């Protein structure tokens, strides 16, 4: 069956995690990056439908986004528990595909011992050199303060400028768009990704011990037109992980077409 099945699973702390699923076959779970979730990232469904004959693809609303609930206090370990609950529903082991900071969460989950057969990581946003400014050292604290003060828009703007690298004048235009209420709604979760990123956008080399336990075959992807720091990051991660391979895919900046990504996933999964 290839229809979109909308359902939910309850995580270890009682948080309800909503998800969609497409296709049939072995389980593939997609983890969105900061601010994203399936309803606003159509590539999730496009990939799921393109792979419908080979995979049962699951894309979920990370806690605090879309139709998923949230439970305080936040901890990265709770997001790993969310993924563990979804793998239980999907069937273990699962291939896990992570976008951007979702790729970093996927790495942490694999290092924690979740039953992951393969990792596919699209453009983890590490900053390991001086080709762009690092995240401010107080980035997470400022995000938390903005949300606590009832200023979710300021948290979203900080993410777009300090993390995504957008100029302030471009963000001002987004503030006037119909999309801005969506950004404000997910703003409390932006600090979650900041905690997942940790020091990996500081300009320093990647930590050698954080993912030492990862032994799943790993494919690191970056778009052909992406930011130079992302290409450097992809190479750095591939060199760090003994089971990793690197592949450039057709695309612009921090995205790539669904058909190209689906082909890369299929090729990696069925490589002999």
């Amino acid at each position: 069956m290839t229809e979109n099945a909308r359902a939910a699973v309850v995580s270890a702390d009682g948080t309800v995690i909503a998800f969609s699923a497409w296709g049939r076959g072995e389980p593939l779970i997609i983890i969105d990056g900061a601010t994203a979730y399936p309803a606003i990232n159509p590539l999730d469904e496009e990939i799921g439908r393109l792979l419908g004959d080979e995979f049962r693809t699951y894309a979920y609303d990370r806690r605090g986004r879309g139709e998923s609930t949230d439970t305080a206090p936040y901890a990265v370990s709770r997001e790993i528990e969310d993924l563990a609950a979804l793998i239980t529903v999907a069937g273990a082991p699962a291939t896990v595909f992570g976008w951007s900071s979702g790729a970093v969460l996927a790495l942490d989950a694999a290092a924690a011992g979740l039953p992951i057969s393969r990792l596919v990581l699209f453009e983890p946003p590490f900053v390991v050199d001086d080709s762009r400014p690092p995240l401010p050292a107080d980035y997470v604290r400022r995000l938390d303060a903005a949300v606590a003060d009832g200023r979710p828009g300021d948290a979203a703007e900080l993410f777009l400028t300090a993390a995504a690298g957008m100029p302030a004048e471009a963000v001002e235009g987004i503030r006037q768009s119909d999309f801005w209420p969506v950004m404000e709604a997910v703003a409390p979760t932006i600090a979650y990704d900041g905690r997942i990123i940790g020091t990996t956008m500081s300009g320093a080399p990647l930590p050698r011990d954080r993912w030492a336990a990862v032994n799943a075959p790993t494919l690191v992807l970056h778009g052909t037109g992406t930011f130079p720091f992302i290409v450097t990051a992809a190479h750095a991660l591939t060199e760090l992980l003994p089971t990793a391979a690197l592949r450039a895919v057709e695309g612009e900046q921090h995205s790539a077409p669904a058909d190209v990504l689906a082909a890369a996933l299929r090729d990696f999964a069925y490589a002999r």
Side-chain angles (χ1 to χ4, degrees):
M1 67 186 159
T2 58
E3 74 279 2
N4 179 351
R6 190 68 176 165
V9 64
V10 179
S11 191
D13 68 350
T15 301
V16 176
I17 303 297
F19 66 88
S20 294
W22 305 270
R24 58 190 175 186
E26 64 176 284
L28 166 65
I29 298 175
I30 299 177
I31 307 177
D32 278 307
T35 74
Y37 55 98
I40 62 171
N41 182 10
L43 285 172
D44 288 347
E45 180 172 354
E46 291 174 29
I47 291 169
R49 293 195 180 280
L50 287 168
L51 293 174
D53 290 335
E54 298 97 346
F55 292 94
R56 179 71 168 163
T57 299
Y58 297 77
Y60 67 103
D61 298 352
R62 287 174 52 191
R63 58 175 54 215
R65 303 181 197 172
E67 297 176 9
S68 291
T69 62
D70 204 353
T71 305
Y74 177 80
V76 176
S77 60
R78 291 191 168 190
E79 288 224 58
I80 294 173
E81 291 171 350
D82 299 345
L83 180 58
L86 193 57
I87 290 176
T88 298
V89 169
T95 296
V96 175
F97 170 52
W99 296 100
S100 191
S101 54
V104 188
L105 177 57
L107 279 167
D108 285 347
L114 265 61
I116 294 172
S117 55
R118 307 177 195 91
L119 285 170
V120 181
L121 311 174
F122 185 78
E123 298 205 350
F126 304 134
V127 178
V128 296
D129 60 17
D130 60 358
S131 61
R132 60 146 279 175
L135 273 186
D138 61 351
Y139 174 69
V140 170
R141 182 189 63 77
R142 288 164 62 188
L143 289 171
D144 285 341
V147 171
D149 291 347
R151 297 180 288 108
D154 290 350
E157 181 169 349
L158 178 61
F159 163 72
L160 292 171
T161 54
M166 293 182 63
E169 56 270 23
V171 176
E172 184 56 35
I174 297 173
R175 273 187 175 268
Q176 307 308 314
S177 73
D178 292 340
F179 186 68
W180 193 249
V182 176
M183 289 293 294
E184 290 192 324
V186 299
T189 73
I190 295 174
Y192 299 174
D193 289 82
R195 287 174 168 83
I196 291 166
I197 287 296
T199 63
T200 63
M201 291 184 72
S202 67
L206 293 175
R208 300 203 65 85
D209 58 345
R210 180 169 171 179
W211 304 300
V214 174
N215 55 24
T218 301
L219 180 63
V220 182
L221 302 171
H222 68 79
T224 53
T226 197
F227 306 102
F229 82 91
I230 290 285
V231 178
T232 301
H235 281 268
L237 180 61
T238 304
E239 293 167 4
L240 184 69
L241 299 178
T243 60
L246 179 68
R247 180 171 175 178
V249 299
E250 290 298 324
E252 297 182 3
Q253 296 188 356
H254 207 34
S255 65
D259 59 337
V260 176
L261 291 171
L265 279 156
R266 186 184 293 111
D267 291 349
F268 181 57
Y270 295 106
R272 294 292 185 263

